[in-house]
Amino acid sequence: MYSHIKKQDKEVFGAIAGEDKRQREGLELIPSENYVSAAVKEAMASSLTNKYSEGYPGRRYYGGQQFTDAIEMVAIERAKKLFGAKYANVQPLGGANANIAMYFALLQPGDTVLGMDLSHGGHLTHGHPVTYLTKIYTFVHYQMKNVETGEIDYEAMRRTAKKVKPKIVLAGFSAYPRELDYTKFVAIAREVGAIAVMDIAHIAGLIAGKAVRNPFDDGFDIMTTTTHKALRGPRGGLILVRESEELAKKIDKAVFPGLQGGPHMHQIAAKAVAFGEALKPSFKKYAKQILKNTKAMEKVFKKHGARMIAGGSDNHLILLDVSESFQISGAEAEALLDRAGMTLNKNVIADDTRKPMDPSGIRFGTPAVTTRGFKEKDCAQVAELMIEVLTKRNDATVEKARRAIKKLALTHPIPESFP
Ligand SMILES: *Cc1c(COP(=O)(O)O)cnc(C)c1O
């Protein structure tokens, strides 16, 4: 592998080789990351990166599309099957692009979106003031009613919806560990004449693997997602429409030419390959194991009396209040655990009293380690090591944990393919 780049460009080769080693020997606990198969990587590295394919299959602006059309059609068909959608747009370059295109498709400037509060788990693209989206649209947010159980305040959400008349009722999150009551979102959206959209970026793999509910089964109209998180595909975005042809047409126009130029066909080929993998029965086992592994970690933190936001987890991620549990900041915890070979991220927690760059929490999850074949006992061991490092914080403890983590990593190599 890399024989050409190694010969031609020592600088870039060195960094890629370093990253490969980092991934091999460390543990990836960032809940939005994963390890793709060699087949997905091959598609990403293919000649398709040379091709311009503006437009959609059968309706392109350039010639030479016999193979790109076939690839995009396969990706679309597999995405539809995977998520029970009637329409799919596989061209968004990432999750943020998918959301921006979705807004472009459904909103006029000045329109209102009702989404999850950022500090309660929502994503930047759900209306954080640092995004340009907030210059165009109005974002109003709902929150958890009870931070210790994770229950959303659906009553307040309904009252707000009736007052602000949103065009979109937006569900979805990057840092929320419970399952939402989808029927309530849909009921509120219907009541105020809004479109119900779920951004499933974090849990698309769990939905595809049928380990959690599919929001389409409860009547959501549209789902946006990334393809590179628990879904274990290449970096990219995807928009799914449950059944409305009218909405699907608007989405297609918004993605291209509304927002993007030429689609990244190498990435679309890799999405098709990853969707093919996710359609296999073994992916269902993978998705269920992610949940079991998170539960195993939750159990350890509970035993030690550590404070988890929402009291634990029903999905792939845990939000730990390290400020209260270990009298340490999120940034300090992130740095300490990084030294011990556990990669995760600091994260704001609901009603955080600390600053966003050094918040009170850390966020971590199990999709990547589950891909490596980790089972409950391995994840429990990781949680014990985390607690030991966060409690003792001395060099000897960090070094001991680093060795244990490296051993766990090396005995669970990143797989090249999935059964
Ligand atoms: C990750 C994420 C995104 C953004 O995806 P990118 O590919 O990083 O642009 C959007 N929404 C949610 C809920 C996410 O978790």
Side-chain angles (χ1 to χ4, degrees):
M1 232 184 153
Y2 307 132
S3 62
H4 296 88
I5 198 164
K6 189 175 178 181
K7 221 185 306 170
Q8 178 182 319
D9 193 327
K10 293 270 178 292
E11 227 176 332
V12 173
F13 171 74
I16 294 176
E19 173 63 13
D20 275 1
K21 185 169 186 293
R22 189 192 70 80
Q23 292 190 14
R24 262 195 322 271
E25 296 182 0
L27 276 199
E28 195 50 75
L29 294 170
I30 295 176
S32 50
E33 293 190 14
N34 216 327
Y35 307 107
V36 299
S37 68
V40 167
K41 281 194 214 163
E42 282 175 6
M44 286 290 281
S46 69
S47 59
L48 286 157
T49 196
N50 297 334
K51 190 74 198 105
Y52 247 114
S53 306
E54 281 172 330
Y56 289 100
R59 302 176 277 137
R60 307 278 193 191
Y61 288 75
Y62 296 82
Q65 307 290 350
Q66 51 277 50
F67 303 109
T68 48
D69 274 8
I71 285 165
E72 188 164 346
M73 296 292 285
V74 172
I76 289 169
E77 285 312 310
R78 289 181 184 170
K80 283 159 51 176
K81 195 162 166 205
L82 207 46
F83 293 99
K86 204 160 166 198
Y87 303 93
N89 188 307
V90 297
Q91 292 192 4
L93 304 180
N97 302 55
N99 281 341
I100 295 166
M102 177 271 292
Y103 294 139
F104 282 5
L106 307 180
L107 302 175
Q108 294 300 317
D111 280 349
T112 299
V113 177
L114 178 58
M116 177 95 128
D117 187 281
L118 285 308
S119 71
H120 284 229
H123 189 257
L124 283 176
T125 55
H126 299 184
H128 193 285
V130 296
T131 65
Y132 282 90
L133 290 166
T134 57
K135 295 186 199 284
I136 312 174
Y137 309 117
T138 303
F139 289 86
V140 180
H141 292 114
Y142 53 86
Q143 298 191 327
M144 286 180 265
K145 178 158 88 185
N146 183 342
V147 179
E148 304 313 319
T149 64
E151 192 196 345
I152 302 286
D153 195 344
Y154 293 106
E155 282 309 308
M157 189 180 157
R158 178 164 175 263
R159 279 196 304 275
T160 308
K162 287 176 81 161
K163 199 167 93 200
V164 303
K165 299 261 184 299
K167 290 275 170 9
I168 296 171
V169 169
L170 180 62
F173 46 77
S174 314
Y176 178 75
R178 297 291 185 193
E179 199 158 17
L180 300 170
D181 187 341
Y182 298 132
T183 56
K184 292 212 166 78
F185 282 88
V186 172
I188 292 168
R190 297 282 183 270
E191 192 177 341
V192 299
I195 293 167
V197 180
M198 167 92 179
D199 176 352
I200 61 169
H202 256 260
I203 58 167
L206 302 178
I207 293 169
K210 306 206 186 315
V212 299
R213 284 191 71 77
N214 184 334
F216 277 162
D217 292 341
D218 293 317
F220 268 80
D221 303 296
I222 291 176
M223 300 201 291
T224 60
T225 185
T226 58
T227 49
H228 50 272
K229 300 182 182 176
L231 188 53
R232 206 161 62 185
R235 197 152 289 283
L238 168 69
I239 306 176
L240 302 147
V241 178
R242 181 168 52 87
E243 66 164 23
S244 163
E245 187 185 356
E246 188 195 334
L247 287 180
K249 281 187 172 153
K250 285 184 181 170
I251 293 284
D252 282 352
K253 268 169 84 174
V255 173
F256 177 85
L259 174 66
Q260 294 183 173
H264 294 187
M265 290 309 306
H266 59 304
Q267 190 192 34
I268 291 174
K271 285 175 193 173
V273 173
F275 298 159
E277 291 171 357
L279 281 165
K280 291 203 265 182
S282 63
F283 194 83
K284 288 199 181 72
K285 260 175 85 179
Y286 165 65
K288 292 211 170 67
Q289 190 64 44
I290 290 175
L291 299 191
K292 287 188 206 162
N293 285 349
T294 316
K295 277 286 170 209
M297 294 186 87
E298 173 198 87
K299 215 165 120 189
V300 173
F301 292 114
K302 266 197 181 140
K303 187 179 79 189
H304 288 270
R307 179 176 185 251
M308 287 172 279
I309 303 306
S313 175
D314 294 323
N315 59 22
H316 63 300
L317 71 85
I318 289 175
L319 260 174
L320 196 61
D321 179 350
V322 288
S323 177
E324 185 177 312
S325 308
F326 303 98
Q327 291 75 50
I328 184 176
S329 80
E332 285 171 303
E334 178 190 293
L336 262 175
L337 293 165
D338 197 49
R339 275 174 53 208
M342 291 174 268
T343 310
L344 45 70
N345 64 279
K346 58 182 179 287
N347 215 95
V348 289
I349 60 171
D351 313 318
D352 209 326
T353 49
R354 301 182 58 93
K355 298 208 174 68
M357 279 317 287
D358 192 10
S360 300
I362 55 172
R363 183 190 71 151
F364 49 91
T366 56
V369 293
T370 305
T371 293
R372 287 183 96 129
F374 275 48
K375 294 289 189 307
E376 290 93 319
K377 68 168 188 347
D378 309 306
C379 287
Q381 190 190 343
V382 173
E384 294 283 5
L385 288 167
M386 285 174 71
I387 287 172
E388 207 175 317
V389 168
L390 292 175
T391 312
K392 295 189 183 152
R393 293 176 224 171
N394 56 48
D395 290 348
T397 310
V398 170
E399 182 52 26
K400 193 175 135 226
R402 195 190 64 78
R403 277 200 303 270
I405 289 293
K406 189 170 172 184
K407 191 169 161 214
L408 264 176
L410 294 178
T411 51
H412 295 81
I414 299 169
E416 295 252 283
S417 63
F418 309 113

